[in-house]
Every structure is written in C-alpha cells, then in structure tokens.
C-alpha cells in the first residue's frame, strides 16, 4: 500500500533513505516529484492542493456514481451464489412444487408462507408418484431413500431462496420422520449407490483396455489419447471431472528441471486447476507438479508421453523449432541455472486441452476451440469399465474417490494438504461424501493383535476383484426381438396395423409417424429393463452354475483372454511403444520415450471410424521376400489396395467405393478402400455421412482430385460426373 504524506507536507524521510521500498512493498512515489510533494512556501494553498484529487474529471463525473447508487439492485448480491447446474436443479423442484398445487386445485398453498409438515408430506408423496416428465416422457422414478433426502435438501434451498430465511428447525426435524415413512411407503432402497474407488490396480487395467480394445471405437484417434490422459490426471490429482475438462494451455507449464541428485534432467509438468467448484467466492488455484519418471516400468501411466504428444501435435510450444521429441532431447540447462522453462504459445492460452470432435463433409476433425463435454466423457469411462469386466459401474468420480482415499492414508499428506488438494473446507466433507462405506482395515487382525493381511484386504476392496469378461453387456438378437411380445408393445403394434388399414398412404401420415416413435421409445425402454434383469440374474445364477460344473468335473472356460482383432496399424504402433520395456541405458530410455511421444502424435491425427462387418479375406498370393519385414509387406499391400480403389472410382460407371473416404488420409486403409454391397448402398452412405454434414454455403474440397467445390450442389454434381456417385435430389 502506498505510504500517504502528512497533511502538512512533512514525512519521515529517514524511513525511505537509501531505499525505494516500504516494508518490502515497492513504492512508486518519487519524493522529488513536485506533483506529490507540497511546496513549503505555499502553506496557504496546501489544503486545496491536497484535496485536488477529489474534484471531478470528465471520466468520473458525480452523476455517473449517483445514478449507479439509485439503480443498484441488491438482490443480485444477497442471494446465494450457485453454479448453473445447481440453479437448474432448484428451478426444477420449484416448478414441481407449483405443478403439484395446480394439479390438486389448491393454488393458495403455493405460497411459501403456508408451508407446513402437512403440505410438505402431500408434495413429496405426489412427487414420488410421478411417472411422466415434460412432453409426456416417462421418468425412471425414484429408487433410493437417499434421493428423497436430496429432494428435501434442494427444497430447503428453494424455500430459502424465495423467503430469505431458513426452514424452521422443528419442521426440519419433523420432516425426517415424514421422509422415512414415505421411503417405506414407496419401497425405496435404503442402500445408496456404492462409491466405487478405481484404485491404481484397477486403473492400470482400464488404461490397458483403452489402449488395446477394438470393441470401443472412437470417432477420432485423439479421443482415445484424451481418454487416456484424463484417466491419468484424474488419478494423480483427484480433481473434479469438470476442472480437468476445463484445463486450458495457459494452465500448463512445461519445464526442463535439473535433478538435485545428479541424474538426467527431468521434464516437469505443472497443472494449475482454475475451474474448481465455487461457492460464495472464487477459490485459490491449486498447482500440481508432476516430475518425469526415468526407467518407468511402463509408459502407460506417463502423462508426459501423452501430453507432450498432444502439445507437439498442436505445435503448442512458443519456440518455433521445438516441434518434436528429438529436439526436446537436445536441450540442456545452462550450468548457472536449475531450470529451462519451455513456454507455450500465448495464442493458445484459452484453448482447451480436451476438445470435442466435429463432423465435416470429409469426416471427423478435432475442433479448434470447443471443449469436450462431460456427457461425452462419461459413457467412455463406463464402457471401458464394462469391457475390462468390472461388476461396478466406473465413473469419472471413481478416480476422485480413490485419489482422496490415497491422500488420506498416506503419512506424507497432512489433513490440511488433503483439504487443499481436494478443494474441501474441512475433512468432514471427505468423510461424509467421499469415503467409501466399505471398511478396508483388517479388523480381526487389529482386535486380535496379529499381523494384518494388508495385501489380501486391498485385493478384497478393489474393483478388479469382480472381473469377469463373461458378464453380459448387451442383449442377444433373440432377447432383443423378444420385447415385441411385451403386452404394451403388442398393443401399440396392433394400433399401427389398424391405422395402416384405415388410412391411405398411412406411412406418410403424421399419426403413423408419431405412433412409430412411440413404439421405438417403448422398445428401447423394454430392452433396457430386460438387460438390467439379465445382468441381475446372471450375477446370481452364473456363480451357482460355476460351482455345480466344477463339482461335476466339467472344465470351465475362463473367458479372460481377450483377442483384439482388427487393430489399426497406428493403434498397434501405439501399443508397442507404450508397453515397451525400459531401456538398458539412458540413451535407450530417451529413445523409448521419444518413440512413444511420436506414436501419440501420429494417433492424434487419425480417424478411427466405425468397423464394417468383416468379410473373408482373399488370399493376395503375396510372399514375403527374405529380408523384407511383414510390416513392409503390409504397406505394399495397402498401397496396392489404394491404387486399385482409385482406379475404380474414376473408371467404373457406378463404383461401390466412396471417393470421399478414399481421399481421407486420416482413415485406416480398410475404411478408405471399403467396397459397399451395391452402388445404392454407396449413395446412402454418401448422403448420410457426407452430404448431411455439409453446411449451407460451405465450400468443399475433393481431396482425391485436389479441387475446391463452391457449394453442396457443385459437390453433388462433381460426385456424379467424375466419380459415378449418385446423390442428386438429396436434401
């Protein structure tokens, strides 16, 4: 704070002698400046000059502040400060409160001044009976007593928002009894959702599944890399999912750091999480430093490999010639310094690291600035857990639960540091909302005073304990078709048949289309319910069958071996690079890291695409020559296939190969050269995948012909005249 001069113009100059700071704070006041010092010869004018700063200037007129004083709205600052998602939840409960009394014809009970235990009991009983939402959509209904407790907490906030006072403590205590009775009346389960922790053992398996699986195909290769990096950072920092997804390049610092113990220089990554949960104010930003591990057993847990691969792919470094891992390896730290900061380009400061893929006429590309939504990430994590074989549902928060528990049990992490890393005000938040209800301590060993079986207890509490890849994840074709026998669907199908008989050209009629949508929605609901039932029955019946078969001497097939078919060449390269063994020397280890970063860079540029039904592969008659590797032979075959496909799309009148996919170098060769069953199937593909993603007035480029086309119609004409793909008349 700037030291103020005394009114009479004097100050203790001895405090400033030989220094331009005050208490360690720099002073920007020059004591020789005539504008800041009072002229001793002009004592009569000292009061005027000292108060001259109070006079108005053209930029700060009094009228501006007086108008602001008159129009100031205090309500905006006196209400609670909630996130948009929380506000939407409060609004929904408020809407349901109003709907309840409108439905019951008691509009006078809407007022919060009339709230009583009687009206609250009626409202929550009505709420639990609701089976339809907006637009007549069916609701899944409330299944857990804990959910009812959440509704009550939200209602209390709605009441406080409307009245600016809290619900009376006596009424709050009475409502606990009301909620218990309502939970019993509606058959709500008392056991809530298990807070499954994805421990490091579980995370290893999920990361390996993400690398190797072909059951889960991402639209773009960078999605697989982003999923891997998210799992790593989520496990190491235990941050909230949205805080991770909002990570931008300005939040990342890359530094070449000297090893104080004399080892090789390390790459240090520092992540500053700005977008943590905010309530009644902005929280300070936490920074997590992650040093590189040399001779790591596996690079599967190395955020350095995956993040550096993304950074090099995006050309994110400010140094124009730092564009590859090999150039990074050539850098050194000058003798007189301990670090070499590797600055990122400031133009990328607000660009998210995790970005979504968007469809274009030529395929999928990564957006330049749109962040990856949580709604996209959540199904990825769930699917990876299912493919791995876990019984529990894996969620992004599973990483936060496990990370918090690891921090809590580590002797090097104090309670204050844990609260700082987790973003909690006190340890009570962790104990109430994050700590699993499963006791992980060998209680019998503690009570008996014997050596605890820590490894066995750890194994008993991991998600990996439940791995069984035989566990059903989808319905069989027969099971899926069986939902048509459900009475509700049977009735809807009969109505559709009657409609077809009574209305001419019924398939184009609005009623018929609406009924068709209803049938499809009901089928989907019944399939979901059937799948849940199949899973629950399997969990109970399969272990019984296993025991019976073992005792009968029948060999049980493990089903744990996973064969990953149809690996893309880039995916195979990525797997080999990440799972490579540590080098025997520092040079070999650096080459291993650089090779892995290169593989990540390449994979960020490919488009995985969906898998087409496999067909019997024809024998190419190609014999691998001595000294010629199998990979080199495959490259030759790919080139031959591409050349043959190019001949087809130019020479044949009605080819069956898509010229757009063929010109997309980011697609695998198999998808680029895919031959459809008929030329009509190709036309459907062209309309659905390419034309449908063309915006009005957008210019398109034919990568195969290397020509730019002015608009959608021009593209269609080019497709017909040059490549024989019929699409004219398409919308």
């Amino acid at each position: 704070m700037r030291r103020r001069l005394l009114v009479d113009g004097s100050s203790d100059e001895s405090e400033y002698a030989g220094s331009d700071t005050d208490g360690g704070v720099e002073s920007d006041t020059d004591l020789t400046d005539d504008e800041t010092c009072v002229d001793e010869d002009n004592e009569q004018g000292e009061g005027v000059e000292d108060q001259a700063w109070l006079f108005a200037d053209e930029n700060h007129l009094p009228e501006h502040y007086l108008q602001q004083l008159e129009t100031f709205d205090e309500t905006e600052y006196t209400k609670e400060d909630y996130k948009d998602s929380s506000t939407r939840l409060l609004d929904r409960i408020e809407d349901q409160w109003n709907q309840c009394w409108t439905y019951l014809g008691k509009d006078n009970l809407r007022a919060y001044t009339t709230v009583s235990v009687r009206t609250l009991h009626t409202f929550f009983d009505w709420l639990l009976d609701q089976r339809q939402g907006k637009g007549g959509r069916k609701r899944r209904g409330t299944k857990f007593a804990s959910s009812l407790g959440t509704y009550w907490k939200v209602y209390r906030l709605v009441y406080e928002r409307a009245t600016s006072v809290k619900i009376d403590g006596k009424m709050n205590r009475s409502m606990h009894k009301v909620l218990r009775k309502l939970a019993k009346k509606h058959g709500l389960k008392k056991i809530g959702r298990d807070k499954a922790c994805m421990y490091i053992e579980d995370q290893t398996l999920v990361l390996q599944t993400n690398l190797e699986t072909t059951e889960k195909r991402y639209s773009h290769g960078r999605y697989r890399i982003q999923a891997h990096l998210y799992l790593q950072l989520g496990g190491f920092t235990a941050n909230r999912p949205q805080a991770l997804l909002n990570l931008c390049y300005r939040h990342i610092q890359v530094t070449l750091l000297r090893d104080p113990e004399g080892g090789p220089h390390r790459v240090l990554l520092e992540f500053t999480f700005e977008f943590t949960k905010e309530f009644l104010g902005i929280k300070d930003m936490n920074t997590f430093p992650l040093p590189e591990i040399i001779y790591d057993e596996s690079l599967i847990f190395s955020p350095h490999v995956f993040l550096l691969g993304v950074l090099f792919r995006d050309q994110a470094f400010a140094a124009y010639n730092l564009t590859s891992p090999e150039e990074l390896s050539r850098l050194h730290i000058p003798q007189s310094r301990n670090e070499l900061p590797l600055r990122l380009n400031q133009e990328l400061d607000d660009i998210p690291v995790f970005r979504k893929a968007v469809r274009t006429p030529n395929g999928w590309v990564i957006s330049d600035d749109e962040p990856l939504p949580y709604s996209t990430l959540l199904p990825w994590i769930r699917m990876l857990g299912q493919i791995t074989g876990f019984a529990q549902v894996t969620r992004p928060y599973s990483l936060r639960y496990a990370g918090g528990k690891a921090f809590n049990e580590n002797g090097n992490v104090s309670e204050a540091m844990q609260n700082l890393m987790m973003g909690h005000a006190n340890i009570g938040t962790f104990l109430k909302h994050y700590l699993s209800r499963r006791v992980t301590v060998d209680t019998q060993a503690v009570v008996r005073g014997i050596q605890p079986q820590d490894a066995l207890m750890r194994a008993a509490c991991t998600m990996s304990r439940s791995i069984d890849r035989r566990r059903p994840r989808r319905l069989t074709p027969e099971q899926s078709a069986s939902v048509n026998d459900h009475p509700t669907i049977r009735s809807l199908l009969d109505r559709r048949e009657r409609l077809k008989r009574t209305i001419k050209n019924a398939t184009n009629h609005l009623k018929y289309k609406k009924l068709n949508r209803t049938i499809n929605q009901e089928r989907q609901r019944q399939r979901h319910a059937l799948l849940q039932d199949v899973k629950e029955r399997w969990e109970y019946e399969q272990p019984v069958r296993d025991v019976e078969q073992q005792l009968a001497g029948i060999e049980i097939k493990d089903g744990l071996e996973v064969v990953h078919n149809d690996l893309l060449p880039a995916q195979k390269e990525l797997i080999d690079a990440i799972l490579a063994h540590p080098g025997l020397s520092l040079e070999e280890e650096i080459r291993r890291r650089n090779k892995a970063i290169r593989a990540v860079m390449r994979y960020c540029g490919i488009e995985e695409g969906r898998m087409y039904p496999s067909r019997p592969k024809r024998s190419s008659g190609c014999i691998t020559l001595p000294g010629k590797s199998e990979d080199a032979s495959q490259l030759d075959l790919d080139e031959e296939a591409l050349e043959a496909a190019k001949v087809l799309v130019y020479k044949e009148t009605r080819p069956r190969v898509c010229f757009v996919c063929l010109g997309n170098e980011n697609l695998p060769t198999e998808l680029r050269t895919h031959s459809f069953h008929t030329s009509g199937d190709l036309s459907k593909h062209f309309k659905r995948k390419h034309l449908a993603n063309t915006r009005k007035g957008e210019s398109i480029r034919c990568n195969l012909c290397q020509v730019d086309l002015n608009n959608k119609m021009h593209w269609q004409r080019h497709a017909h005249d040059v490549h024989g793909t019929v699409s004219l008349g398409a919308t």
Side-chain angles (χ1 to χ4, degrees):
M1 180 177 177
R2 182 182 298 180
R3 180 180 293 275
R4 298 181 61 184
L5 297 176
L6 299 178
V7 175
D8 60 0
S10 65
S11 65
D12 188 355
E13 294 183 6
S14 63
E15 295 184 10
Y16 295 92
S19 174
D20 59 354
T21 61
D22 179 19
V25 180
E26 292 185 2
S27 173
D28 54 2
T29 301
D30 185 356
L31 296 181
T32 63
D33 192 347
D34 293 337
E35 292 182 5
T36 58
C37 293
V38 179
D39 188 354
E40 295 180 359
D41 296 333
N42 189 16
E43 294 182 357
Q44 294 180 351
E46 65 181 359
V48 176
E49 290 188 16
D50 190 53
Q51 298 182 23
W53 62 276
L54 289 173
F55 298 155
D57 59 49
E58 58 182 6
N59 295 323
H60 302 88
L61 296 174
E63 289 78 4
H64 167 75
Y65 297 102
L66 291 173
Q67 183 182 7
Q68 185 174 274
L69 179 65
E70 295 296 328
T71 60
F72 186 79
D73 184 10
E74 291 188 12
T75 59
E76 184 179 349
Y77 300 92
T78 55
K79 64 183 181 181
E80 296 288 5
D81 186 15
Y82 294 116
K83 287 277 191 179
D84 291 342
S85 55
S86 300
T87 302
R88 287 195 295 270
L89 188 60
L90 267 63
D91 292 342
R92 188 170 67 182
I93 291 294
E94 185 175 16
D95 289 343
Q96 289 170 331
W97 171 261
N98 295 328
Q99 290 169 16
C100 172
W101 301 118
T102 300
Y103 175 75
L104 298 180
K106 294 286 186 180
D107 287 341
N108 59 307
L109 296 180
R110 283 188 185 187
Y112 293 101
T113 54
T114 63
V115 169
S116 64
V117 175
R118 177 173 61 94
T119 57
L120 289 172
H121 177 277
T122 303
F123 168 65
F124 283 106
D125 192 26
W126 173 86
L127 184 64
L128 292 173
D129 280 331
Q130 298 309 297
R131 291 294 179 269
Q132 282 190 339
K134 287 186 177 180
R137 291 176 296 186
K138 288 193 176 182
R139 299 174 57 186
R140 298 176 63 182
T142 305
K143 296 180 174 59
F144 297 101
S146 59
S147 300
L148 180 58
T150 301
Y151 295 156
W152 168 235
K153 292 176 184 176
V154 174
Y155 179 83
R156 283 158 49 194
L157 296 177
V158 170
Y159 180 91
E160 185 178 347
R161 183 175 69 173
T163 63
S164 300
V165 296
K166 295 188 176 184
I167 280 186
D168 178 68
K170 183 178 179 181
M171 184 183 297
N172 189 23
R173 289 189 294 273
S174 300
M175 280 302 298
H176 288 306
K177 187 174 182 180
V178 169
L179 297 179
R180 286 197 299 270
K181 287 195 172 184
L182 287 175
K184 185 176 181 180
K185 174 183 176 181
H186 291 271
L188 304 184
K189 300 177 183 178
K190 293 183 179 180
I191 301 176
R193 187 181 72 185
D194 181 31
K195 295 181 175 65
C197 295
M198 193 186 296
Y199 294 114
I200 196 67
E201 302 92 327
D202 313 317
Q203 195 177 348
T204 303
L205 295 173
V206 174
L207 287 171
Q208 188 165 347
T209 298
N210 182 59
L211 273 183
E212 298 178 345
T213 186
T214 55
E215 289 189 59
K216 169 61 181 172
R217 275 283 182 94
Y218 298 92
S219 56
H220 198 280
R222 179 157 172 157
Y223 268 2
R224 192 179 295 270
I225 301 302
Q226 290 185 163
H228 206 98
L229 182 60
Y230 175 87
L231 288 165
Q232 292 173 336
L233 296 182
F236 295 152
T237 67
N239 260 287
R240 292 181 174 87
Q242 200 57 54
L244 286 165
L245 293 178
N246 288 338
L247 199 68
C248 296
Y249 283 114
R250 71 172 182 272
H251 302 130
I252 298 173
Q253 173 64 51
V254 185
T255 308
L256 198 61
L257 189 67
R258 188 183 300 280
D259 186 351
E261 297 181 352
H265 301 332
R266 309 296 178 92
V267 176
L268 177 70
L269 301 179
E270 294 173 276
F271 300 91
T272 300
F273 292 95
E274 178 180 351
F275 299 95
T276 54
K277 190 175 182 181
E278 298 173 5
F279 178 70
L280 296 180
I282 299 174
K283 293 185 178 180
D284 292 334
M285 296 182 289
N286 294 341
T287 298
F288 288 79
L290 299 178
E292 182 183 14
I293 299 175
I294 304 293
Y295 300 111
D296 198 352
E297 291 184 4
S298 172
L299 298 177
I300 199 170
F301 268 110
S302 173
H304 300 74
V305 166
F306 285 85
L307 181 63
L308 287 173
V310 170
L311 293 178
F312 283 127
R313 178 72 191 182
D314 289 346
Q315 298 181 347
F317 287 101
Y320 73 92
N321 50 357
L322 180 54
T323 58
S324 71
E326 289 76 19
E327 288 155 353
L328 175 63
S329 303
R330 292 165 50 195
L331 299 176
H332 67 279
I333 302 174
Q335 196 63 36
S336 59
R337 288 153 51 190
N338 292 320
E339 68 170 6
L340 177 63
L342 308 177
R343 303 298 186 197
L344 300 183
N345 191 340
Q346 292 181 340
E347 295 180 359
L348 302 177
D349 277 356
D350 297 325
I351 301 300
V353 177
F354 298 96
R355 302 200 294 276
K356 66 182 293 185
V358 293
R359 295 200 74 159
T360 68
N362 288 312
W364 289 94
V365 297
I366 295 296
S367 171
D368 292 332
D369 54 7
E370 293 184 73
L372 181 70
Y374 180 74
S375 57
T376 301
L377 174 74
L378 181 61
W380 292 356
I381 307 299
R382 285 180 175 173
M383 175 63 74
L384 291 175
Q386 291 176 4
I387 297 173
T388 305
F390 296 150
Q392 298 96 327
V393 177
T394 54
R395 302 176 178 87
Y397 258 91
S398 300
L399 298 166
R400 182 164 166 83
Y401 295 145
K405 191 172 186 300
F407 297 154
N408 186 257
E409 294 176 348
N410 192 290
N412 296 323
V413 180
S414 65
E415 182 178 308
M417 181 56 70
Q418 177 185 336
N419 291 334
L420 175 68
M421 292 188 292
M422 299 289 291
H424 293 158
N426 54 65
I427 199 65
T429 305
F430 172 77
L431 298 177
K432 184 175 182 181
H433 299 290
Y434 286 83
L435 191 60
S436 175
R437 302 298 99 181
R438 179 180 288 273
V439 177
T440 58
V441 178
D442 190 353
T443 54
Q444 66 171 344
V446 173
V447 173
R448 293 176 60 185
I450 60 178
Q451 186 70 25
Q453 304 180 76
D454 292 332
L456 194 59
M457 287 298 299
R458 176 80 172 187
C461 299
T462 60
M463 300 173 72
S464 308
R465 165 188 172 182
S466 65
I467 284 183
D468 191 337
R469 293 193 174 95
R470 302 173 302 170
R471 185 173 284 108
R473 294 191 284 112
R474 57 180 68 90
L475 296 175
T476 64
E478 294 77 14
Q479 291 170 332
S480 182
S482 68
V483 300
N484 288 328
D485 297 328
H486 190 275
T488 304
I489 297 179
R490 190 69 264 163
S491 173
L492 290 171
L493 291 174
D494 290 342
R495 281 177 55 193
R496 189 173 68 178
E497 287 300 317
R498 289 196 297 271
L499 200 63
K500 287 176 69 175
R501 290 194 297 267
T502 56
I503 300 178
K504 188 177 181 181
N505 296 326
T507 54
N508 295 323
H509 198 276
L510 186 62
K511 285 185 178 180
Y512 185 90
K513 292 179 179 179
K514 184 178 179 180
L515 185 58
N516 244 355
R517 285 195 298 269
T518 303
I519 292 173
N520 292 333
Q521 291 168 357
E522 186 61 33
R523 278 175 174 161
Q524 191 62 31
R525 279 192 290 270
Q526 295 302 330
R527 289 190 183 109
H528 178 77
L530 178 58
L531 179 58
Q532 293 303 114
D533 182 59
V534 168
K535 287 180 177 179
E536 290 176 5
R537 284 190 286 108
W538 188 94
E539 291 291 346
Y540 178 81
E541 296 173 359
Q542 188 59 46
V544 175
R545 286 194 291 268
D546 289 344
V547 172
E548 292 174 346
Q549 289 175 356
Q550 283 192 38
L551 295 178
I554 301 174
E555 183 181 356
I556 301 176
K557 292 186 178 180
D558 227 356
L560 292 178
E561 290 297 326
V562 180
V563 180
H564 299 289
N565 297 317
D566 301 317
L567 277 176
L568 303 176
Q571 187 177 3
K572 185 176 184 300
E573 177 190 357
L574 180 68
I575 295 169
D576 293 340
I578 297 299
L579 301 182
H581 296 294
L584 299 178
S585 64
L586 180 59
E587 290 74 15
E588 289 185 11
E589 178 66 7
I590 296 300
R591 281 199 297 270
R592 177 178 78 132
R593 182 198 69 181
N594 292 348
K595 182 180 178 182
I597 294 174
R598 279 283 186 188
V600 170
M601 290 173 61
R602 279 191 283 272
Y603 208 82
C604 283
I606 74 162
E607 183 180 342
E608 290 193 4
R610 67 183 183 88
M611 290 184 293
Y612 291 110
S614 58
R615 298 178 183 174
K617 293 185 178 180
R618 293 175 294 180
S619 175
S620 62
C622 180
I623 301 174
T624 304
L625 300 175
K628 192 173 184 180
S629 67
E630 184 179 346
D631 290 340
S633 177
Q634 183 60 45
L635 288 174
D636 291 341
L637 290 175
D638 289 346
E639 286 297 327
E640 291 179 9
L642 289 170
E643 289 301 322
K646 289 177 182 178
V647 170
L648 291 177
V649 298
Y650 281 112
K651 298 295 183 182
E652 286 195 359
T653 306
R654 288 291 178 266
R656 292 178 293 155
V657 176
C658 177
F659 73 96
V660 184
C661 294
L662 184 60
N664 185 356
E665 296 181 354
N666 293 329
L667 276 176
T669 304
E670 175 191 357
L671 299 184
R672 293 178 67 184
T673 60
H674 177 75
S675 178
F676 290 88
H677 187 63
T678 65
S679 57
D681 292 337
L682 171 60
S683 295
K684 294 175 184 176
H685 160 85
F686 181 66
K687 295 175 185 178
R688 183 173 57 249
K689 184 175 180 180
H690 302 299
L691 285 180
N693 295 295
T694 307
R695 292 185 292 271
K696 187 176 181 180
E698 179 184 14
S699 61
I700 305 123
R701 182 172 180 80
C702 177
N703 293 323
L704 204 61
C705 301
Q706 296 294 305
V707 296
D708 292 318
L709 306 164
N710 297 330
N711 50 48
K712 181 178 178 180
M713 184 62 72
H714 191 188
W715 196 28
Q716 289 178 267
R717 175 59 62 186
H718 175 84
H720 180 272
D721 295 345
V722 179
H723 302 295
T725 302
V726 178
S727 64
L728 296 176
T731 56

